[in-house]
Amino acid sequence: MRELTFVRTGLLQWRERPEPRLQDPRDALVRPFVAGRCDGDTMPIHRHVSRLMQVGMRTGIVDPIVASICGPVPFRGPFSIGHECVAEVIAAGPDADVRRGDVVIVPWSVSCGDCVNCRRGITAKCSTTRTGTLAAFGFGSASGPWGGMVADLLRVPFADHMLVKVPAEMDPLRVAAASDNLSDAWRCVAPALDARPNGRVLILGGAAQSIGLYAAGLAVCLGAEVVDYVDHQPERLAIAERLGASAHRVKKHERRQSDIPGRDYDVAVEGTSSAAGIATAARSLAPGGILQPVGYYLPRGTRVPLMHMYANDAILKIGVSNVRAVLPDVLDFVGRTGFPAELVTSVTAEWDDAPDAYRAHTTKLVLQRPRVTA
């Protein structure tokens, strides 16, 4: 069977690997037919980061936790890439609780549903499936043997827990990013706006390209009084406006306090992956506001204005996205409201074109191919 393989920066290929088989009564085999490119995947695809990050870890500049997720030479190919998909069930074990033809979301992190962390909703830190920091699709062998989601077939363990069915009336392209980026955006704004109805939301866009846009659109749909989206990239600014947010253009690499429209946000989603973004977002919060960083903060010395946050009674909420815990709420909300998540998709490409399409410099790439069980 084929799977999309990251070989090196700028080069991806279809490569063959043995076809997966059911190994446990709770297993399922699924065939992805829609796949979204995660924001984080663009870093090694577009930039030569592997050796630089290895040197950074050796010299103490880059946090060594990166090695436990992506290997001692982070993002060194070849490895199977991709961790957002909508899939159809091809086969299932007797305890998997799905059947052939079901359309499902496969969360990016692998979890059992039964351990203490899973029961607490911290499914990205499942103690059953992890042998290191994460158990995940599409990050290479350091995060487990699961492979990538841009593949002919996937074996999904604990399928009765892992797989979440997509409602029959829902367009799979609408929830192409539900495995990660869409659900990540949901957890950044939905709980906070539930506790602070009609709150004010700031989004600093950039490195977390689609997450910031999904968060902006969700905040609008959830009834936020103000949703300010700040970015330098015209394509993303236009998408933010289509989603109903107020778009504010800044210069690249600049997120100064003077660039921010307000200073009294209930929620600030920081998507620039920079210390400057952290500081700007933190200083823009209203008393009791919540700062939600969603990027990769690689330096060991990332500065956070703790004294300012202390004096402002602010909350810092940071962590990997526990997608499985929120997926039912995400799909229910999209179904009830018709939230147009597909507006964030900037390029839709054919599945067979994945090696070239995945290299596109664009906000959100989605691959598609016909189902075989429809």
Side-chain angles (χ1 to χ4, degrees):
M1 59 158 257
R2 298 184 312 170
E3 65 179 2
L4 185 63
T5 302
F6 173 89
V7 180
R8 62 176 182 273
T9 300
L11 179 62
L12 297 102
Q13 296 176 344
W14 289 118
R15 292 197 174 181
E16 293 290 326
R17 66 171 290 177
E19 193 168 290
R21 300 184 182 279
L22 298 175
Q23 300 178 20
D24 185 271
R26 294 177 69 184
D27 281 359
L29 298 181
V30 304
R31 176 184 180 269
F33 65 97
V34 170
R37 186 185 67 185
C38 173
D39 296 344
D41 284 347
T42 62
M43 181 170 64
I45 291 171
H46 296 150
R47 299 170 60 189
H48 296 274
V49 297
S50 293
R51 292 296 181 186
L52 289 174
M53 291 173 71
Q54 181 188 33
V55 171
M57 287 187 292
R58 286 179 176 174
T59 58
I61 297 173
V62 172
D63 197 303
I65 194 74
V66 174
S68 69
I69 300 172
C70 304
V73 184
F75 301 112
R76 179 171 63 182
F79 67 88
S80 308
I81 198 168
H83 57 266
E84 290 185 345
C85 80
V86 185
E88 55 188 331
V89 176
I90 299 299
D95 298 335
D97 197 31
V98 289
R99 63 182 181 181
R100 179 177 172 84
D102 284 346
V103 176
V104 295
I105 304 294
V106 186
W108 70 272
S109 61
V110 183
S111 57
C112 71
D114 299 322
C115 70
V116 171
N117 285 345
C118 284
R119 292 198 301 270
R120 292 173 58 200
I122 313 175
T123 53
K125 301 298 292 184
C126 172
S127 57
T128 301
T129 59
R130 284 187 303 114
T131 57
T133 300
L134 297 175
F137 293 98
F139 281 87
S141 59
S143 290
W146 310 106
M149 289 189 184
V150 187
D152 289 340
L153 282 177
L154 294 177
R155 180 178 75 90
V156 180
F158 307 106
D160 53 310
H161 155 73
M162 279 278 288
L163 299 179
V164 180
K165 297 177 185 178
V166 177
E169 67 278 7
M170 186 174 292
D171 184 353
L173 291 174
R174 174 161 284 183
V175 289
S179 297
D180 190 1
N181 290 170
L182 177 59
S183 297
D184 201 356
W186 171 267
R187 60 101 181 208
C188 286
V189 294
L193 288 174
D194 184 54
R196 299 164 174 78
N198 307 313
R200 299 167 61 86
V201 178
L202 170 69
I203 312 287
L204 299 186
Q209 299 181 72
S210 72
I211 298 173
L213 290 169
Y214 290 130
L218 286 168
V220 171
C221 201
L222 286 162
E225 177 187 359
V226 171
V227 181
D228 287 326
Y229 179 85
V230 178
D231 205 334
H232 69 277
Q233 219 272 354
E235 180 183 69
R236 294 194 294 267
L237 290 163
I239 294 171
E241 288 186 328
R242 291 179 66 192
L243 289 165
S246 298
H248 304 270
R249 187 170 184 176
V250 295
K251 293 181 180 179
K252 191 174 183 179
H253 304 308
E254 287 189 10
R255 300 293 189 277
R256 301 169 301 183
Q257 205 65 48
S258 59
D259 294 322
I260 304 305
R263 299 286 178 88
D264 56 351
Y265 296 100
D266 297 286
V267 184
V269 180
E270 202 301 294
T272 71
S273 291
S274 69
I278 290 282
T280 297
R283 296 180 187 280
S284 299
L285 291 172
I290 301 174
L291 171 57
Q292 286 270 8
V294 293
Y296 291 165
Y297 300 90
L298 302 176
R300 296 187 71 174
T302 301
R303 299 178 65 183
V304 179
L306 290 178
M307 188 63 199
H308 177 89
M309 296 183 73
Y310 168 80
N312 203 31
D313 198 28
I315 299 167
L316 173 63
K317 181 70 171 67
I318 187 169
V320 292
S321 57
N322 297 295
V323 165
R324 179 57 186 85
V326 302
L327 257 179
D329 289 339
V330 172
L331 294 179
D332 176 69
F333 180 82
V334 172
R336 285 188 294 104
T337 65
F339 175 65
E342 72 276 8
L343 292 180
V344 177
T345 301
S346 48
V347 171
T348 303
E350 293 301 314
W351 194 271
D352 287 344
D353 297 334
D356 291 328
Y358 232 69
R359 296 187 290 110
H361 288 267
T362 193
T363 295
K364 187 68 178 184
L365 167 73
V366 171
L367 303 169
Q368 64 174 340
R369 60 178 169 177
R371 291 177 57 190
V372 296
T373 61

